[in-house]
Amino acid sequence: MTETEAALRTLAHNVRAARTRAGLSLDELGRRAKVSKGALVALEKAQGNPNFATLVRLADTLGASVSTLLEGRSEERVRVVSAATVMPLWKGERGSEARLMLTTSGPAATEVWRWTLEPGEEYPSHPHQAGVVETVNVTAGQMVLVVNSTDHPVEAGQTATFDADAPHTYRGSGTETCHLIMTVHLPPGPA
């Protein structure tokens, strides 16, 4: 079995298990997450290739983190993850990318992301479930964080945080690649 097949099987198992725990039918999950029933059936059969936005909508609807849907169980007390071993979940046309490094365990999980944003490239995000808070720490370059249509410039050495239940966009600015660490703090709930 290839790594891709194994990853799809893990995703299929985790989505089905989270849907069952939440007491949702395929129809209801599809309606709430705005994903077709056919796509959900394929996903739960470990077929297809769901995009990043679909994974985020499913995670939000199921009250889970994206990595909870993607990862198998870890029995290790300490996890060390190298960016080189984690595939990007989003790639922009100009070379920007986002990698979900890991998610902490517990009743209120936190996702840790590594992003690069090329100047002028952006990633628009839909509003997340109520209670989700995002924090962005720019380690190099510049970006503009747009929340509710208001621009907030963030430069190297600065950190911004916001309630992510509003439309928001990450945009590279300046003349060099922006590097940032983003954390997504999820509210307590089933995962």
Side-chain angles (χ1 to χ4, degrees):
M1 174 182 331
T2 69
E3 279 187 45
T4 301
E5 290 169 334
L8 280 172
R9 283 188 180 180
T10 297
L11 175 63
H13 174 269
N14 292 344
V15 168
R16 187 173 36 257
R19 179 177 63 77
T20 301
R21 277 193 308 273
L24 297 175
S25 66
L26 285 167
D27 287 326
E28 184 61 16
L29 176 58
R31 185 186 68 73
R32 291 182 185 185
K34 298 182 176 94
V35 175
S36 74
K37 181 178 178 181
L40 287 174
V41 168
L43 187 128
E44 288 194 5
K45 289 183 177 181
Q47 300 169 348
N49 185 17
N51 66 30
F52 178 53
T54 298
L55 291 176
V56 170
R57 285 194 311 272
L58 286 171
D60 279 351
T61 302
L62 292 167
S65 66
V66 172
S67 64
T68 297
L69 298 180
L70 295 172
E71 294 177 352
R73 293 229 179 258
S74 173
E75 301 302 322
E76 298 295 322
R77 181 175 213 122
V78 175
R79 288 186 294 158
V80 178
V81 181
S82 168
T85 64
V86 178
M87 297 298 297
L89 289 179
W90 171 75
K91 283 190 166 197
E93 293 179 6
R94 298 182 187 177
S96 300
E97 65 179 32
R99 295 173 189 255
L100 176 56
M101 301 304 296
L102 62 87
T103 301
T104 62
S105 59
T110 299
E111 297 177 347
V112 179
W113 293 78
R114 290 183 69 162
W115 285 70
T116 58
L117 290 170
E118 296 301 326
E121 189 155 42
E122 65 180 39
Y123 178 81
S125 179
H126 72 285
H128 299 298
Q129 65 178 315
V132 173
V133 175
E134 292 190 11
T135 302
V136 179
N137 173 256
V138 176
T139 60
Q142 303 170 344
M143 71 169 289
V144 174
L145 172 63
V146 183
V147 179
N148 275 335
S149 303
T150 301
D151 290 3
H152 304 275
V154 187
E155 299 180 2
Q158 293 183 322
T159 302
T161 189
F162 64 98
D163 294 331
D165 58 354
H168 51 284
T169 299
Y170 319 103
R171 181 183 314 127
S173 63
T175 59
E176 62 185 76
T177 303
C178 177
H179 295 268
L180 61 102
I181 304 296
M182 177 179 71
T183 57
V184 180
H185 307 272
L186 303 167

